[in-house]
Amino acid sequence: MDIHDAHHLLLQGLNDVAVLFQKVPGSAILLRYVKSSYQNDPVRSAVELFLFLFFVRYLLAPKYSTQKQNYVTLSEEVSRTPTLSIPPLTGDQEVDELVDDWTPEPLVAPQTALEEIENEKRPVIVGQTGPKTKLSTGRTVTNLASYNFYNFVGNETLKEKAIQTLRTYGVGPCGPPGFYGTQDVHMKTEADIAAFLGTPACIVYAQALSTISSVIPAFSKRGDIIVADKAINYAVRKGIQISRSTIRWYEHNDMEDLERVLVKVTKEQTRKPLTRRFIVTEGIFENVGDVVDLPKLIELKYRYKFRLILDESWSFGVLGRTGRGVTEQQNVDAAEVDMIIGSLAGPLCAGGGFCAGSDEIVEHQRISAAAYTFSAALPAMLATTASETLNMLQTSPEMMVLLREHVKTMRAQLDPRSDWVYCSSAAENPVMLLVLKPEVVAAKGLSVEEQERLLQDVVDETLANGVLISRLKGTIAALNTTPKDGSWQQRPALKVCITVGLSRKEVERAGVTIRHAITKVVSKRR
């Protein structure tokens, strides 16, 4: 075959390929694009061809290198020098020796001595957690360790409504809210909470603890700024940690220090790109028991242009004339708080949590909040219970009056009369935190661990005398801080929860029992 025949065959082959290519759908459009692109900018055509070939090669290439060895090669007879008494190791023997020598790290830290003692003595409740609770030991004790403030656990109307809902809707929705999990009772509960608080909208989550830890990262991302109180609870800390935002801390409930931090942040961000900025705090602080200064917080929020995320998990249903929380107690319009987060699992005796705010804030969470998007929706029975208990708080304000009277009765037996402890909780807080007085700690030279052991002995002594109380559990330290920073540290405390299910005389007797137990245990400590 001479050169002319070869040239003829090449042209014929190219012509056949062109005919076949023209039969491909869309080939004419592609040819027109290439011709016009080459005429206008031939360099761009070359770049596009290079990128196309690189893309094809990338798709066809293996996900790992087939040339480089990324593992350790074990020799046949290597690992040690043979002697008369120790023969050389083969490859299999070397692998076995390495496996035997390897010790995995534990998944969790070993229990402390205090945790072991506490777990051994942990009381087990049989039946419902009412004001009088039966333990697995057969004893019936006064229960001051649950958040059954209004004794909704024993309310017969709520029980009948829950049973009716269970028969109508079943046990659970078996799906997340955005995927066939939303039921009409969920929409009603959201509307009831929004109307109760006076906000445009509300969204209900299936779990109280994961509500705030999902709301924060739904809005605050890497590069955004969060200014938070050092005493915030564990759930809020986890939300801040997940958000990966820049964190600035201010001293607990210190509005002057908060303003100092806001001024500093504002100056730092003057010449930087605009970021989202949030103040995060609680209504009633779980770890201390006191109440935030909301009017001053709103003033600072507007002055320095921050958004406010307020966790009312422990103040919703407790503070205010009708239980609307710290906004009602301190005469602040709920619309001035960007996001109000609350719990339906505590005072309302239901389950789940909520976030109330504007329509835009609520709708954003329906596709961006992890706990809402990926968790099964709240069981209909609990949603109905939450709506019913909200209605009871509005129609029966005498319950809140009675609860506050019981709180005063208990405080009268403990705070002024005890030489060993004082109550750090606010006057209207039904969760009383009893902390050892500083002079007692100093006189006896008690470390934090020794204080916890001492208070656990008080819990055990109180239970032995027929009253069930608990102890405040520890929380993680502030993020991005070290002990040298002088960060706020949670103080060990006893936790006493008041309920209207007891009479005034029963509350007084329980208070006397607790006070005597504290005196007996602490006075023995030298």
mmCIF file of all heavy atoms in Angstrom, residues 91-119:
data_model
loop_
_atom_site.group_PDB
_atom_site.id
_atom_site.type_symbol
_atom_site.label_atom_id
_atom_site.label_comp_id
_atom_site.label_asym_id
_atom_site.label_seq_id
_atom_site.Cartn_x
_atom_site.Cartn_y
_atom_site.Cartn_z
ATOM 1 N N GLY A 91 7.237 -14.039 59.220
ATOM 2 C CA GLY A 91 6.297 -12.940 58.998
ATOM 3 C C GLY A 91 5.014 -13.091 59.801
ATOM 4 O O GLY A 91 4.539 -12.154 60.435
ATOM 5 N N ASP A 92 4.429 -14.320 59.819
ATOM 6 C CA ASP A 92 3.193 -14.550 60.559
ATOM 7 C C ASP A 92 3.403 -14.379 62.058
ATOM 8 O O ASP A 92 2.544 -13.827 62.768
ATOM 9 C CB ASP A 92 2.657 -15.951 60.263
ATOM 10 C CG ASP A 92 2.178 -16.087 58.824
ATOM 11 O OD1 ASP A 92 1.888 -15.034 58.215
ATOM 12 O OD2 ASP A 92 2.093 -17.224 58.324
ATOM 13 N N GLN A 93 4.540 -14.849 62.560
ATOM 14 C CA GLN A 93 4.824 -14.698 63.985
ATOM 15 C C GLN A 93 4.983 -13.233 64.367
ATOM 16 O O GLN A 93 4.578 -12.796 65.442
ATOM 17 C CB GLN A 93 6.077 -15.492 64.347
ATOM 18 C CG GLN A 93 5.910 -16.991 64.288
ATOM 19 C CD GLN A 93 7.205 -17.720 64.517
ATOM 20 O OE1 GLN A 93 8.290 -17.194 64.216
ATOM 21 N NE2 GLN A 93 7.124 -18.941 65.039
ATOM 22 N N GLU A 94 5.569 -12.458 63.460
ATOM 23 C CA GLU A 94 5.751 -11.032 63.722
ATOM 24 C C GLU A 94 4.397 -10.324 63.814
ATOM 25 O O GLU A 94 4.175 -9.471 64.675
ATOM 26 C CB GLU A 94 6.606 -10.412 62.627
ATOM 27 C CG GLU A 94 7.005 -8.973 62.906
ATOM 28 C CD GLU A 94 7.930 -8.432 61.835
ATOM 29 O OE1 GLU A 94 8.219 -9.163 60.873
ATOM 30 O OE2 GLU A 94 8.347 -7.269 61.968
ATOM 31 N N VAL A 95 3.468 -10.685 62.929
ATOM 32 C CA VAL A 95 2.128 -10.104 62.963
ATOM 33 C C VAL A 95 1.436 -10.444 64.279
ATOM 34 O O VAL A 95 0.829 -9.583 64.936
ATOM 35 C CB VAL A 95 1.296 -10.606 61.765
ATOM 36 C CG1 VAL A 95 -0.165 -10.193 61.926
ATOM 37 C CG2 VAL A 95 1.857 -10.067 60.475
ATOM 38 N N ASP A 96 1.546 -11.717 64.704
ATOM 39 C CA ASP A 96 0.910 -12.122 65.953
ATOM 40 C C ASP A 96 1.493 -11.370 67.144
ATOM 41 O O ASP A 96 0.764 -10.977 68.060
ATOM 42 C CB ASP A 96 1.095 -13.633 66.155
ATOM 43 C CG ASP A 96 0.326 -14.449 65.121
ATOM 44 O OD1 ASP A 96 -0.635 -13.883 64.547
ATOM 45 O OD2 ASP A 96 0.689 -15.619 64.889
ATOM 46 N N GLU A 97 2.800 -11.166 67.127
ATOM 47 C CA GLU A 97 3.428 -10.454 68.242
ATOM 48 C C GLU A 97 2.981 -8.997 68.290
ATOM 49 O O GLU A 97 2.718 -8.443 69.358
ATOM 50 C CB GLU A 97 4.949 -10.535 68.110
ATOM 51 C CG GLU A 97 5.684 -9.942 69.314
ATOM 52 C CD GLU A 97 7.180 -10.110 69.212
ATOM 53 O OE1 GLU A 97 7.823 -9.224 68.609
ATOM 54 O OE2 GLU A 97 7.691 -11.122 69.718
ATOM 55 N N LEU A 98 2.870 -8.350 67.113
ATOM 56 C CA LEU A 98 2.404 -6.964 67.072
ATOM 57 C C LEU A 98 0.967 -6.847 67.568
ATOM 58 O O LEU A 98 0.614 -5.904 68.283
ATOM 59 C CB LEU A 98 2.517 -6.416 65.645
ATOM 60 C CG LEU A 98 3.938 -6.165 65.125
ATOM 61 C CD1 LEU A 98 3.893 -5.764 63.653
ATOM 62 C CD2 LEU A 98 4.611 -5.075 65.950
ATOM 63 N N VAL A 99 0.120 -7.802 67.182
ATOM 64 C CA VAL A 99 -1.272 -7.787 67.629
ATOM 65 C C VAL A 99 -1.358 -7.971 69.136
ATOM 66 O O VAL A 99 -2.131 -7.289 69.827
ATOM 67 C CB VAL A 99 -2.090 -8.864 66.894
ATOM 68 C CG1 VAL A 99 -3.480 -8.990 67.502
ATOM 69 C CG2 VAL A 99 -2.192 -8.531 65.413
ATOM 70 N N ASP A 100 -0.561 -8.874 69.683
ATOM 71 C CA ASP A 100 -0.578 -9.115 71.128
ATOM 72 C C ASP A 100 -0.090 -7.898 71.914
ATOM 73 O O ASP A 100 -0.573 -7.609 73.012
ATOM 74 C CB ASP A 100 0.278 -10.328 71.470
ATOM 75 C CG ASP A 100 -0.313 -11.620 70.932
ATOM 76 O OD1 ASP A 100 -1.544 -11.639 70.689
ATOM 77 O OD2 ASP A 100 0.449 -12.597 70.734
ATOM 78 N N ASP A 101 0.865 -7.163 71.357
ATOM 79 C CA ASP A 101 1.423 -6.001 72.056
ATOM 80 C C ASP A 101 0.519 -4.777 71.967
ATOM 81 O O ASP A 101 0.654 -3.856 72.777
ATOM 82 C CB ASP A 101 2.802 -5.647 71.486
ATOM 83 C CG ASP A 101 3.836 -6.705 71.819
ATOM 84 O OD1 ASP A 101 3.574 -7.490 72.750
ATOM 85 O OD2 ASP A 101 4.877 -6.750 71.143
ATOM 86 N N TRP A 102 -0.387 -4.744 70.997
ATOM 87 C CA TRP A 102 -1.224 -3.545 70.796
ATOM 88 C C TRP A 102 -2.347 -3.489 71.834
ATOM 89 O O TRP A 102 -3.056 -4.471 72.060
ATOM 90 C CB TRP A 102 -1.837 -3.564 69.400
ATOM 91 C CG TRP A 102 -2.697 -2.362 69.130
ATOM 92 C CD1 TRP A 102 -2.302 -1.076 68.937
ATOM 93 C CD2 TRP A 102 -4.127 -2.348 69.021
ATOM 94 N NE1 TRP A 102 -3.367 -0.257 68.709
ATOM 95 C CE2 TRP A 102 -4.511 -1.014 68.762
ATOM 96 C CE3 TRP A 102 -5.113 -3.330 69.114
ATOM 97 C CZ2 TRP A 102 -5.841 -0.640 68.590
ATOM 98 C CZ3 TRP A 102 -6.437 -2.958 68.944
ATOM 99 C CH2 TRP A 102 -6.796 -1.628 68.689
ATOM 100 N N THR A 103 -2.488 -2.353 72.480
ATOM 101 C CA THR A 103 -3.536 -2.137 73.471
ATOM 102 C C THR A 103 -4.410 -0.962 73.025
ATOM 103 O O THR A 103 -3.922 0.170 72.945
ATOM 104 C CB THR A 103 -2.940 -1.826 74.856
ATOM 105 O OG1 THR A 103 -2.083 -2.909 75.236
ATOM 106 C CG2 THR A 103 -4.052 -1.641 75.892
ATOM 107 N N PRO A 104 -5.677 -1.188 72.702
ATOM 108 C CA PRO A 104 -6.529 -0.078 72.229
ATOM 109 C C PRO A 104 -6.830 0.891 73.355
ATOM 110 O O PRO A 104 -6.880 0.523 74.532
ATOM 111 C CB PRO A 104 -7.800 -0.796 71.760
ATOM 112 C CG PRO A 104 -7.830 -2.066 72.540
ATOM 113 C CD PRO A 104 -6.397 -2.464 72.746
ATOM 114 N N GLU A 105 -7.031 2.150 72.978
ATOM 115 C CA GLU A 105 -7.416 3.155 73.965
ATOM 116 C C GLU A 105 -8.860 2.920 74.402
ATOM 117 O O GLU A 105 -9.714 2.563 73.584
ATOM 118 C CB GLU A 105 -7.273 4.558 73.375
ATOM 119 C CG GLU A 105 -5.846 4.945 73.047
ATOM 120 C CD GLU A 105 -5.759 6.380 72.537
ATOM 121 O OE1 GLU A 105 -6.800 7.057 72.534
ATOM 122 O OE2 GLU A 105 -4.660 6.798 72.157
ATOM 123 N N PRO A 106 -9.176 3.127 75.675
ATOM 124 C CA PRO A 106 -10.567 2.923 76.126
ATOM 125 C C PRO A 106 -11.502 3.949 75.507
ATOM 126 O O PRO A 106 -11.124 5.111 75.283
ATOM 127 C CB PRO A 106 -10.469 3.104 77.651
ATOM 128 C CG PRO A 106 -9.227 3.922 77.860
ATOM 129 C CD PRO A 106 -8.276 3.526 76.763
ATOM 130 N N LEU A 107 -12.741 3.523 75.222
ATOM 131 C CA LEU A 107 -13.730 4.423 74.634
ATOM 132 C C LEU A 107 -14.181 5.477 75.634
ATOM 133 O O LEU A 107 -14.499 6.603 75.261
ATOM 134 C CB LEU A 107 -14.939 3.620 74.137
ATOM 135 C CG LEU A 107 -14.674 2.652 72.987
ATOM 136 C CD1 LEU A 107 -15.944 1.879 72.644
ATOM 137 C CD2 LEU A 107 -14.175 3.406 71.760
ATOM 138 N N VAL A 108 -14.233 5.121 76.904
ATOM 139 C CA VAL A 108 -14.637 6.068 77.950
ATOM 140 C C VAL A 108 -13.628 5.979 79.091
ATOM 141 O O VAL A 108 -12.961 4.961 79.274
ATOM 142 C CB VAL A 108 -16.055 5.766 78.486
ATOM 143 C CG1 VAL A 108 -17.095 5.982 77.412
ATOM 144 C CG2 VAL A 108 -16.147 4.346 79.024
ATOM 145 N N ALA A 109 -13.553 7.063 79.836
ATOM 146 C CA ALA A 109 -12.651 7.082 80.982
ATOM 147 C C ALA A 109 -13.189 6.172 82.081
ATOM 148 O O ALA A 109 -14.405 5.994 82.212
ATOM 149 C CB ALA A 109 -12.503 8.510 81.503
ATOM 150 N N PRO A 110 -12.316 5.577 82.848
ATOM 151 C CA PRO A 110 -12.790 4.720 83.948
ATOM 152 C C PRO A 110 -13.563 5.534 84.978
ATOM 153 O O PRO A 110 -13.344 6.731 85.155
ATOM 154 C CB PRO A 110 -11.490 4.157 84.546
ATOM 155 C CG PRO A 110 -10.419 5.118 84.120
ATOM 156 C CD PRO A 110 -10.839 5.644 82.785
ATOM 157 N N GLN A 111 -14.493 4.878 85.653
ATOM 158 C CA GLN A 111 -15.302 5.558 86.650
ATOM 159 C C GLN A 111 -14.452 6.004 87.832
ATOM 160 O O GLN A 111 -13.530 5.313 88.250
ATOM 161 C CB GLN A 111 -16.414 4.632 87.155
ATOM 162 C CG GLN A 111 -17.525 4.386 86.172
ATOM 163 C CD GLN A 111 -18.671 3.624 86.800
ATOM 164 O OE1 GLN A 111 -18.560 3.133 87.914
ATOM 165 N NE2 GLN A 111 -19.771 3.522 86.091
ATOM 166 N N THR A 112 -14.801 7.177 88.341
ATOM 167 C CA THR A 112 -14.148 7.646 89.560
ATOM 168 C C THR A 112 -14.753 6.920 90.754
ATOM 169 O O THR A 112 -15.801 6.269 90.653
ATOM 170 C CB THR A 112 -14.337 9.155 89.722
ATOM 171 O OG1 THR A 112 -15.738 9.447 89.874
ATOM 172 C CG2 THR A 112 -13.797 9.903 88.510
ATOM 173 N N ALA A 113 -14.088 7.046 91.889
ATOM 174 C CA ALA A 113 -14.592 6.399 93.108
ATOM 175 C C ALA A 113 -15.962 6.936 93.479
ATOM 176 O O ALA A 113 -16.851 6.185 93.907
ATOM 177 C CB ALA A 113 -13.598 6.609 94.253
ATOM 178 N N LEU A 114 -16.183 8.252 93.274
ATOM 179 C CA LEU A 114 -17.473 8.853 93.588
ATOM 180 C C LEU A 114 -18.569 8.316 92.675
ATOM 181 O O LEU A 114 -19.679 8.020 93.122
ATOM 182 C CB LEU A 114 -17.386 10.375 93.468
ATOM 183 C CG LEU A 114 -18.679 11.154 93.726
ATOM 184 C CD1 LEU A 114 -19.176 10.912 95.147
ATOM 185 C CD2 LEU A 114 -18.472 12.648 93.487
ATOM 186 N N GLU A 115 -18.247 8.154 91.392
ATOM 187 C CA GLU A 115 -19.230 7.628 90.448
ATOM 188 C C GLU A 115 -19.591 6.184 90.771
ATOM 189 O O GLU A 115 -20.761 5.788 90.644
ATOM 190 C CB GLU A 115 -18.689 7.739 89.023
ATOM 191 C CG GLU A 115 -18.607 9.169 88.512
ATOM 192 C CD GLU A 115 -17.908 9.268 87.174
ATOM 193 O OE1 GLU A 115 -17.167 8.312 86.815
ATOM 194 O OE2 GLU A 115 -18.072 10.282 86.489
ATOM 195 N N GLU A 116 -18.617 5.400 91.171
ATOM 196 C CA GLU A 116 -18.899 4.013 91.533
ATOM 197 C C GLU A 116 -19.830 3.944 92.743
ATOM 198 O O GLU A 116 -20.787 3.162 92.762
ATOM 199 C CB GLU A 116 -17.591 3.278 91.822
ATOM 200 C CG GLU A 116 -16.721 3.052 90.597
ATOM 201 C CD GLU A 116 -15.437 2.337 90.939
ATOM 202 O OE1 GLU A 116 -15.209 2.102 92.154
ATOM 203 O OE2 GLU A 116 -14.661 2.006 90.015
ATOM 204 N N ILE A 117 -19.551 4.763 93.747
ATOM 205 C CA ILE A 117 -20.411 4.788 94.940
ATOM 206 C C ILE A 117 -21.820 5.242 94.586
ATOM 207 O O ILE A 117 -22.816 4.661 95.036
ATOM 208 C CB ILE A 117 -19.790 5.704 96.012
ATOM 209 C CG1 ILE A 117 -18.459 5.132 96.498
ATOM 210 C CG2 ILE A 117 -20.747 5.898 97.174
ATOM 211 C CD1 ILE A 117 -17.699 6.054 97.439
ATOM 212 N N GLU A 118 -21.898 6.275 93.748
ATOM 213 C CA GLU A 118 -23.204 6.812 93.368
ATOM 214 C C GLU A 118 -24.016 5.791 92.577
ATOM 215 O O GLU A 118 -25.232 5.654 92.774
ATOM 216 C CB GLU A 118 -23.012 8.084 92.546
ATOM 217 C CG GLU A 118 -24.297 8.820 92.228
ATOM 218 C CD GLU A 118 -24.052 10.097 91.457
ATOM 219 O OE1 GLU A 118 -22.890 10.392 91.145
ATOM 220 O OE2 GLU A 118 -25.038 10.791 91.143
ATOM 221 N N ASN A 119 -23.371 5.080 91.663
ATOM 222 C CA ASN A 119 -24.085 4.076 90.873
ATOM 223 C C ASN A 119 -24.577 2.911 91.728
ATOM 224 O O ASN A 119 -25.640 2.351 91.483
ATOM 225 C CB ASN A 119 -23.184 3.558 89.748
ATOM 226 C CG ASN A 119 -22.966 4.587 88.657
ATOM 227 O OD1 ASN A 119 -23.803 5.461 88.442
ATOM 228 N ND2 ASN A 119 -21.838 4.509 87.977
#
